[in-house]
Amino acid sequence: MATLRTLRKLCQHTHHQACSLHLSASRQEAVVISGRKLARQIRDEARADVEDWVSAGNRRPHLSVVLVGDNPASHSYVLNKTRAAADVGISSETILKPSCISEEELLELIDKLNTDHRVDGLLVQLPLPEHIDERRICNAVCPDKDVDGFHVVNVGRMCLDQSTMLPATPWGVWEIIKRTVLSLPLMQRNIMVAEFCSDALLFLLGDATVTISHRYTPKEQLRQHTKIADIIVAAAGIPNLITADMIKEGAAVIDVGINRIQDPLTGKNKLVGDVDFEGVRKKASYITPVPGGVGPMTVAMLMKNTIKAAKNLLLTPPERVRMVASS
């Protein structure tokens, strides 16, 4: 059965599971969803899956990460991914390349990794230097090894409701919703998605009434939609985009935003989301923090994709990998 169809059917039978998975400050405030706790749960599932896979005589799954340049945030993200891989029993490597690497050199490296039978999962950490076409690079990764789910073939498979590599962030958002928020079937939910990852979530949340906006939607128009939403997914990259006056009482708010701003009190940089956390938590029923919300879930779902890639490649002839990678 196709991955998305399976997820949709699961959601119809998912009930409230919040008590053991969250931290709650008080009954009057929102339950703060711990993405770290949920990610540990998923990584435990992934670890058991890897152990079963290896015990059956299969090679340990391997993830290769290509990191270009010296962006501190990218280096931090990659370190989190390789640490998670080690935690669940996936071997990994980080291939460092200078920011001056040419697009052709990077494509040659990807082609080499595509045809390396020891590599199950492959991702190129974004963003890339301006002289490199990110879309061309994403499409150069073999779809069967594309654990980010960015290749046009995987996007197409998702749109056609076929088994595929789901993009890790929207899949992580879906798992948060499925495992914590849902007490009613999706068909009884109004969901507001603000920009990023909206396409993937649209398919994952196929039975719900989904409204999509973007960072340029006028605030008053955005408010009209958020005020009636049962679940709000905010990922427009705008600090404090969603405020308490914009949500209805008891709404669930998933904050995907990652924004670095200067703390007015300390003068130091800090990480915030797209939601006014302190204000919204007084009115919402559930809310994710930044950091510690969606971020850990993204990494956990990446581990799931790597395991899936290893299983798929075992059944994929090397000739097909070379053919797809070069197409």
Side-chain angles (χ1 to χ4, degrees), residues 293-308:
V294 174
M297 292 294 290
T298 297
V299 176
M301 305 326 295
L302 184 67
M303 299 304 108
K304 288 270 197 176
N305 269 347
T306 303
I307 297 168
K308 181 176 182 177

PDB file of all heavy atoms in Angstrom, residues 293-308:
ATOM      1  N   GLY A 293      11.251  21.443  19.053  1.00  0.00           N
ATOM      2  CA  GLY A 293       9.959  20.996  18.551  1.00  0.00           C
ATOM      3  C   GLY A 293      10.094  20.176  17.291  1.00  0.00           C
ATOM      4  O   GLY A 293      10.371  18.978  17.322  1.00  0.00           O
ATOM      5  N   VAL A 294       9.932  20.837  16.145  1.00  0.00           N
ATOM      6  CA  VAL A 294       9.960  20.146  14.856  1.00  0.00           C
ATOM      7  C   VAL A 294      11.373  19.702  14.472  1.00  0.00           C
ATOM      8  O   VAL A 294      11.545  18.653  13.840  1.00  0.00           O
ATOM      9  CB  VAL A 294       9.356  21.050  13.757  1.00  0.00           C
ATOM     10  CG1 VAL A 294       9.496  20.407  12.377  1.00  0.00           C
ATOM     11  CG2 VAL A 294       7.881  21.336  14.051  1.00  0.00           C
ATOM     12  N   GLY A 295      12.387  20.463  14.856  1.00  0.00           N
ATOM     13  CA  GLY A 295      13.766  20.158  14.462  1.00  0.00           C
ATOM     14  C   GLY A 295      14.198  18.728  14.742  1.00  0.00           C
ATOM     15  O   GLY A 295      14.653  18.014  13.838  1.00  0.00           O
ATOM     16  N   PRO A 296      14.085  18.254  15.991  1.00  0.00           N
ATOM     17  CA  PRO A 296      14.479  16.869  16.282  1.00  0.00           C
ATOM     18  C   PRO A 296      13.665  15.845  15.502  1.00  0.00           C
ATOM     19  O   PRO A 296      14.171  14.772  15.163  1.00  0.00           O
ATOM     20  CB  PRO A 296      14.220  16.744  17.790  1.00  0.00           C
ATOM     21  CG  PRO A 296      14.269  18.143  18.312  1.00  0.00           C
ATOM     22  CD  PRO A 296      13.722  19.004  17.213  1.00  0.00           C
ATOM     23  N   MET A 297      12.406  16.194  15.192  1.00  0.00           N
ATOM     24  CA  MET A 297      11.560  15.270  14.437  1.00  0.00           C
ATOM     25  C   MET A 297      12.053  15.128  12.997  1.00  0.00           C
ATOM     26  O   MET A 297      12.004  14.044  12.413  1.00  0.00           O
ATOM     27  CB  MET A 297      10.114  15.762  14.455  1.00  0.00           C
ATOM     28  CG  MET A 297       9.464  15.677  15.821  1.00  0.00           C
ATOM     29  SD  MET A 297       9.270  13.961  16.362  1.00  0.00           S
ATOM     30  CE  MET A 297       7.994  13.404  15.235  1.00  0.00           C
ATOM     31  N   THR A 298      12.523  16.227  12.419  1.00  0.00           N
ATOM     32  CA  THR A 298      13.057  16.185  11.058  1.00  0.00           C
ATOM     33  C   THR A 298      14.212  15.199  10.969  1.00  0.00           C
ATOM     34  O   THR A 298      14.289  14.382  10.046  1.00  0.00           O
ATOM     35  CB  THR A 298      13.524  17.587  10.624  1.00  0.00           C
ATOM     36  OG1 THR A 298      12.398  18.469  10.592  1.00  0.00           O
ATOM     37  CG2 THR A 298      14.175  17.553   9.257  1.00  0.00           C
ATOM     38  N   VAL A 299      15.109  15.269  11.945  1.00  0.00           N
ATOM     39  CA  VAL A 299      16.263  14.366  11.959  1.00  0.00           C
ATOM     40  C   VAL A 299      15.815  12.916  12.145  1.00  0.00           C
ATOM     41  O   VAL A 299      16.333  12.002  11.499  1.00  0.00           O
ATOM     42  CB  VAL A 299      17.252  14.786  13.068  1.00  0.00           C
ATOM     43  CG1 VAL A 299      18.416  13.797  13.155  1.00  0.00           C
ATOM     44  CG2 VAL A 299      17.768  16.195  12.821  1.00  0.00           C
ATOM     45  N   ALA A 300      14.838  12.698  13.023  1.00  0.00           N
ATOM     46  CA  ALA A 300      14.348  11.337  13.261  1.00  0.00           C
ATOM     47  C   ALA A 300      13.738  10.734  11.999  1.00  0.00           C
ATOM     48  O   ALA A 300      13.962   9.553  11.684  1.00  0.00           O
ATOM     49  CB  ALA A 300      13.315  11.348  14.392  1.00  0.00           C
ATOM     50  N   MET A 301      12.978  11.533  11.253  1.00  0.00           N
ATOM     51  CA  MET A 301      12.353  11.016  10.038  1.00  0.00           C
ATOM     52  C   MET A 301      13.402  10.746   8.960  1.00  0.00           C
ATOM     53  O   MET A 301      13.247   9.852   8.123  1.00  0.00           O
ATOM     54  CB  MET A 301      11.297  11.977   9.512  1.00  0.00           C
ATOM     55  CG  MET A 301      10.201  12.368  10.499  1.00  0.00           C
ATOM     56  SD  MET A 301       9.689  11.111  11.678  1.00  0.00           S
ATOM     57  CE  MET A 301       8.965   9.872  10.622  1.00  0.00           C
ATOM     58  N   LEU A 302      14.488  11.505   8.976  1.00  0.00           N
ATOM     59  CA  LEU A 302      15.593  11.261   8.050  1.00  0.00           C
ATOM     60  C   LEU A 302      16.189   9.875   8.297  1.00  0.00           C
ATOM     61  O   LEU A 302      16.569   9.163   7.349  1.00  0.00           O
ATOM     62  CB  LEU A 302      16.665  12.337   8.228  1.00  0.00           C
ATOM     63  CG  LEU A 302      17.855  12.294   7.278  1.00  0.00           C
ATOM     64  CD1 LEU A 302      17.405  12.603   5.858  1.00  0.00           C
ATOM     65  CD2 LEU A 302      18.921  13.301   7.722  1.00  0.00           C
ATOM     66  N   MET A 303      16.261   9.467   9.567  1.00  0.00           N
ATOM     67  CA  MET A 303      16.751   8.120   9.886  1.00  0.00           C
ATOM     68  C   MET A 303      15.811   7.058   9.318  1.00  0.00           C
ATOM     69  O   MET A 303      16.247   6.036   8.780  1.00  0.00           O
ATOM     70  CB  MET A 303      16.884   7.956  11.404  1.00  0.00           C
ATOM     71  CG  MET A 303      17.873   8.917  12.071  1.00  0.00           C
ATOM     72  SD  MET A 303      19.531   8.825  11.365  1.00  0.00           S
ATOM     73  CE  MET A 303      19.619  10.386  10.453  1.00  0.00           C
ATOM     74  N   LYS A 304      14.512   7.303   9.435  1.00  0.00           N
ATOM     75  CA  LYS A 304      13.524   6.374   8.884  1.00  0.00           C
ATOM     76  C   LYS A 304      13.701   6.228   7.372  1.00  0.00           C
ATOM     77  O   LYS A 304      13.618   5.124   6.819  1.00  0.00           O
ATOM     78  CB  LYS A 304      12.113   6.876   9.191  1.00  0.00           C
ATOM     79  CG  LYS A 304      11.693   6.762  10.644  1.00  0.00           C
ATOM     80  CD  LYS A 304      11.037   5.424  10.909  1.00  0.00           C
ATOM     81  CE  LYS A 304      10.256   5.423  12.198  1.00  0.00           C
ATOM     82  NZ  LYS A 304       9.528   4.160  12.445  1.00  0.00           N
ATOM     83  N   ASN A 305      13.944   7.353   6.697  1.00  0.00           N
ATOM     84  CA  ASN A 305      14.138   7.310   5.245  1.00  0.00           C
ATOM     85  C   ASN A 305      15.397   6.542   4.866  1.00  0.00           C
ATOM     86  O   ASN A 305      15.433   5.848   3.845  1.00  0.00           O
ATOM     87  CB  ASN A 305      14.195   8.726   4.676  1.00  0.00           C
ATOM     88  CG  ASN A 305      12.837   9.253   4.254  1.00  0.00           C
ATOM     89  OD1 ASN A 305      11.871   8.501   4.148  1.00  0.00           O
ATOM     90  ND2 ASN A 305      12.744  10.547   4.012  1.00  0.00           N
ATOM     91  N   THR A 306      16.450   6.680   5.670  1.00  0.00           N
ATOM     92  CA  THR A 306      17.703   5.976   5.381  1.00  0.00           C
ATOM     93  C   THR A 306      17.508   4.468   5.473  1.00  0.00           C
ATOM     94  O   THR A 306      18.021   3.703   4.641  1.00  0.00           O
ATOM     95  CB  THR A 306      18.818   6.435   6.344  1.00  0.00           C
ATOM     96  OG1 THR A 306      18.991   7.857   6.247  1.00  0.00           O
ATOM     97  CG2 THR A 306      20.135   5.755   6.017  1.00  0.00           C
ATOM     98  N   ILE A 307      16.758   4.022   6.471  1.00  0.00           N
ATOM     99  CA  ILE A 307      16.467   2.591   6.608  1.00  0.00           C
ATOM    100  C   ILE A 307      15.639   2.115   5.420  1.00  0.00           C
ATOM    101  O   ILE A 307      15.885   1.042   4.853  1.00  0.00           O
ATOM    102  CB  ILE A 307      15.725   2.322   7.937  1.00  0.00           C
ATOM    103  CG1 ILE A 307      16.619   2.709   9.122  1.00  0.00           C
ATOM    104  CG2 ILE A 307      15.319   0.854   8.028  1.00  0.00           C
ATOM    105  CD1 ILE A 307      15.886   2.756  10.442  1.00  0.00           C
ATOM    106  N   LYS A 308      14.653   2.926   5.040  1.00  0.00           N
ATOM    107  CA  LYS A 308      13.824   2.561   3.887  1.00  0.00           C
ATOM    108  C   LYS A 308      14.666   2.464   2.627  1.00  0.00           C
ATOM    109  O   LYS A 308      14.477   1.554   1.803  1.00  0.00           O
ATOM    110  CB  LYS A 308      12.720   3.608   3.703  1.00  0.00           C
ATOM    111  CG  LYS A 308      11.793   3.310   2.538  1.00  0.00           C
ATOM    112  CD  LYS A 308      10.659   4.313   2.458  1.00  0.00           C
ATOM    113  CE  LYS A 308       9.721   3.966   1.301  1.00  0.00           C
ATOM    114  NZ  LYS A 308       8.573   4.872   1.217  1.00  0.00           N
TER     115      LYS A 308
END
